[in-house]
Amino acid sequence: MSLSENDLWLLSYYRSSEINGALFFGRVARTLRGGQLQAEVTHHFADEAQHARYWTDCISDLGYDAEKLRGAYQDQYLEAAGVPANLMEVMAITQVFEKRVIGQYRQHLRVPNLHPRIRQTIEQIMVDERWHVQYVREALAEMEGRYGAEHVAETLDRFTRADQEVYAKTLAEYGERVDFLRRADPELP
Amino acid sequence: MTRGVLLAVSDTPLAVRDLTAGEAARLAERRSPRGRRLWLTARHALRRALLATGRPADTAAYRFPNRIASLSYAGDLAVAAVLTGDVGAVAGVGVDVEVGRYPEPRTAPLFLTGPELSWWDGAPAARRGAELLRLWTVKEALFKADPGNAGRTLRHYATDRPAARRGRATRPGAEFRYASLALPRGALTVALGLSPSHEGNAMREIDFDSVAKHVSSLISVPVERLGPDVTIAEVVPDSFTLVEVSVDLQEEFDVVLRQQDLREMHTLGDLVSLLRTRQAEQVAS
C-alpha cells in the first residue's frame, strides 16, 4: 500500500507521542514507592513503549520507515496545562490525556477505507488504553482522601480545558496533515 | 503508596480432596467435627483471597496472627482478609465479622473508651444495638491488626470518631485505619495497623542536605554543586524532569505541593522551605 506523506507523518506522530508517553511514565514509575500504583504505572510505561513498537512495525509492514520526529502531542500539553505539581495531578493529566488518545484513535478508525494493518494496530492499542483510563480513574478515586475530592475534580476540569485548547491548536497547526480525519468526523473544529 | 485489603467469604468447607499435604496435616490436628468444618470453611475463604491477590495458595503456609492475612468466623460463615498493594507500609491486618446477637449493653464499658461510650449513650435507641455490634467488630479488628497487642485490651484502642464507618484509630504508640460494612443484623470491620516506618515517614525531618542529596540523584548533578541559592532552572533541564523531582520529593517526605507552589519557588532553598512549610501544615491539620 502506498501511504501519502500525511498518512506517514501522522503514523510517525503517533509513534513519537507513544515514545514520549513511555519516557514520561518511566520517570513517574521511578518516583513511586512500592505498591499497586507503582506496579500499574510501570505496566503503563511498558504499554506505551510497546505501542511505539506497534507503530514502528505497522509503518514498516506498510513498506516505510517511521519519520524521525522530535515533537509529540505532549509537548504542548505541559505548557497549556501547567506542570503537574503532585502525583494526583500527574494522574489527572494522564486521565485527560488517555481519553484524548482513545478519542483520536476512535476517530481514525472511522476513516473510510482504512488499511487493515493500521486498523489492527489501533485496535490492539485501544485495549490497553481502556485499561489505562480505568486504573487511573480508580487511583484518582483513592487519592480523594489525601487531596480532597473537590481539588481532584477541579484539577480534572483544569486539565480538560487545557486539553481542548491544545487539541484545537494541534488541529490548526497540522491542519492539512489531519484533514482526512476531519472529513471522517465533521464535528471536529 | 496504594494499599488495600481483599476480602473473601465462604460458607462451605474446602473439599478434603483439594487440600495440600500441609493443609491435611493441619486438619488432622483438629478432632471435633464442628472445629474441622469451621477450619475448612475458613481455609476456603483464605484460599480464595490468596488466589485473587496472586499469592501462593497453600494456606498451610499461613499461621495466625499473621501480618498480611486475617480470618474471622460468624456461625458457619468465614471471612478472610489479605493485604494487596503496599504491604511495606502495613504492620498488620485484622478482620472481624459478627452476625446475629447484639452485645449486652452492660458490656459496652468493657471495650469502649470514655468518648466512645458517651457517643454511644447518645445514639438513637433503635440504633444502639447495631452500633455497639459495629464498634465491637472495630475493636476486634484493631486488636488483630496490632502486632503489639500482647497484654492489651480492647479499651486500649480508641477511634477518632466513633460514629464513622471508616477512619483512624490509635493506641499509644500505634496508628490504625479501619472500615466497617453493615450486614443484615451484623457488621464486618477490616483494620490495618500502620508500620512505624510509615508513621515516621510522615514526620520525617526535611533539611537542605537530605533534599539536595535526593535531587542530586535524580538529575545527575553532584551534590556539592547544589546550594540553596542555585536556581531550579539551572539544574532541572525540562518540565518532565521537574515533574519527576517534584513528585519524587513529595513521595519521599510525604508532603503535598500544589501548582502555585511550583510557580513560586525559584531556588533550591525555596524548594526546601516550601516542603517544610507544607509538612508543618499537614501535621497541624
Side-chain angles (χ1 to χ4, degrees):
Chain A
M1 175 204 175
S2 77
L3 284 178
S4 71
E5 190 191 328
N6 287 342
D7 289 338
L8 178 59
W9 177 86
L10 185 60
L11 302 190
S12 303
Y13 190 74
Y14 288 159
R15 172 182 174 271
S16 184
S17 296
E18 298 285 4
I19 290 173
N20 270 23
L23 292 171
F24 178 71
F25 280 102
R27 285 166 175 237
V28 176
R30 269 201 308 214
T31 68
L32 296 175
R33 287 191 207 139
Q36 191 182 339
L37 191 60
Q38 185 195 62
E40 287 168 337
V41 171
T42 309
H43 189 156
H44 191 160
F45 152 64
D47 282 350
E48 300 285 326
Q50 191 78 309
H51 297 170
R53 194 190 117 205
Y54 293 161
W55 280 122
T56 313
D57 290 351
C58 172
I59 294 167
S60 173
D61 289 350
L62 294 171
Y64 294 82
D65 288 326
E67 284 183 18
K68 188 175 157 185
L69 299 177
R70 297 288 300 177
Y73 188 68
Q74 294 96 327
D75 293 345
Q76 301 168 65
Y77 230 69
L78 299 186
E79 200 178 309
V83 175
N86 53 49
L87 190 56
M88 182 277 288
E89 294 200 359
V90 168
M91 288 293 115
I93 202 168
T94 302
Q95 174 79 335
V96 171
F97 181 72
E98 292 292 326
K99 284 184 175 173
R100 170 62 68 198
V101 170
I102 287 178
Q104 172 68 25
Y105 282 149
R106 195 174 284 149
Q107 201 175 306
H108 203 140
L109 287 174
R110 284 201 289 264
V111 169
N113 305 317
L114 184 64
H115 191 284
R117 184 69 181 85
I118 297 175
R119 177 177 297 282
Q120 181 209 14
T121 302
I122 293 178
E123 285 174 347
Q124 196 172 9
I125 291 174
M126 290 279 264
V127 174
D128 297 331
E129 300 294 356
R130 287 191 197 99
W131 174 73
H132 296 165
V133 169
Q134 184 193 335
Y135 97 80
V136 174
R137 186 189 300 127
E138 288 167 5
L140 282 169
E142 271 193 35
M143 288 177 180
E144 287 180 356
R146 186 180 187 201
Y147 295 88
E150 203 175 316
H151 183 44
V152 172
E154 280 167 10
T155 307
L156 281 167
D157 275 354
R158 176 159 54 87
F159 287 141
T160 302
R161 285 195 303 275
D163 169 71
Q164 286 158 353
E165 184 191 322
V166 169
Y167 193 62
K169 269 170 74 178
T170 305
L171 286 181
E173 190 176 343
Y174 300 116
E176 65 180 50
R177 292 198 187 273
V178 293
D179 205 40
F180 70 100
L181 291 177
R182 214 188 287 269
R183 286 197 298 274
D185 187 351
E187 287 180 14
L188 276 177
Chain B
M1 156 166 208
T2 309
R3 60 173 174 265
V5 179
L6 193 135
L7 292 176
V9 179
S10 178
D11 60 0
T12 51
L14 195 60
V16 173
R17 65 176 178 280
D18 292 336
L19 296 181
T20 64
E23 288 168 340
R26 301 275 296 277
L27 177 66
E29 294 166 11
R30 280 153 184 82
R31 298 284 173 228
S32 82
R34 173 153 176 78
R36 289 166 65 88
R37 183 183 165 82
L38 274 179
W39 190 87
L40 285 166
T41 305
R43 294 289 147 164
H44 198 184
L46 180 58
R47 190 180 280 188
R48 282 179 174 168
L50 292 169
L51 283 170
T53 52
R55 294 180 185 280
D58 182 356
T59 71
Y62 296 83
R63 290 188 181 266
F64 295 91
N66 187 290
R67 191 171 77 86
I68 64 144
S70 180
L71 285 173
S72 182
Y73 311 85
D76 288 332
L77 187 73
V79 178
V82 173
L83 287 179
T84 63
D86 186 1
V87 175
V90 178
V93 59
V95 63
D96 191 59
V97 61
E98 303 289 342
V99 179
R101 271 184 318 128
Y102 292 149
E104 282 289 329
R106 61 192 160 86
T107 63
L110 301 178
F111 63 93
L112 297 184
T113 62
E116 290 165 349
L117 204 51
S118 301
W119 172 80
W120 177 72
D121 275 338
R127 295 281 320 143
R128 291 178 74 209
E131 294 292 1
L132 195 58
L133 185 66
R134 177 179 63 80
L135 286 168
W136 171 264
T137 65
V138 171
K139 294 303 182 86
E140 281 279 308
L142 291 169
F143 185 84
K144 289 180 179 178
D146 183 5
N149 63 9
R152 314 269 178 198
T153 69
L154 298 186
R155 286 191 80 247
H156 285 114
Y157 301 87
T159 55
D160 279 2
R161 292 189 305 125
R165 296 200 166 271
R166 57 189 302 167
R168 177 177 174 272
T170 52
R171 70 153 171 78
E175 185 179 341
F176 304 85
R177 298 286 185 276
Y178 72 89
S180 301
L181 292 171
L183 304 175
R185 205 171 167 77
L188 181 153
T189 295
V190 185
L192 296 180
L194 302 186
S195 68
S197 63
H198 171 89
E199 294 159 40
N201 207 33
M203 296 297 292
R204 186 167 162 192
E205 193 178 334
I206 298 173
D207 57 41
F208 186 84
D209 287 348
S210 57
V211 172
K213 200 171 148 194
H214 214 76
V215 171
S216 162
S217 69
L218 291 167
I219 60 175
S220 303
V221 171
V223 71
E224 304 78 46
R225 280 186 49 203
L226 302 178
D229 295 329
V230 170
T231 65
I232 291 166
E234 274 176 73
V235 291
V236 176
D238 54 57
S239 302
F240 277 12
T241 310
L242 181 58
V243 174
E244 185 179 4
V245 169
S246 165
V247 172
D248 198 288
L249 288 171
Q250 291 174 68
E251 286 290 286
E252 185 66 21
F253 296 106
D254 215 4
V255 170
V256 173
L257 296 181
R258 300 205 167 192
Q259 220 171 42
Q260 184 67 23
D261 294 333
L262 296 194
R263 282 196 285 269
E264 286 173 1
M265 64 186 191
H266 301 291
T267 64
L268 291 177
D270 295 342
L271 168 63
V272 176
S273 300
L274 254 173
L275 289 169
R276 280 191 188 138
T277 305
R278 295 291 171 258
Q279 185 188 53
E281 286 169 0
Q282 280 165 225
V283 170
S285 67

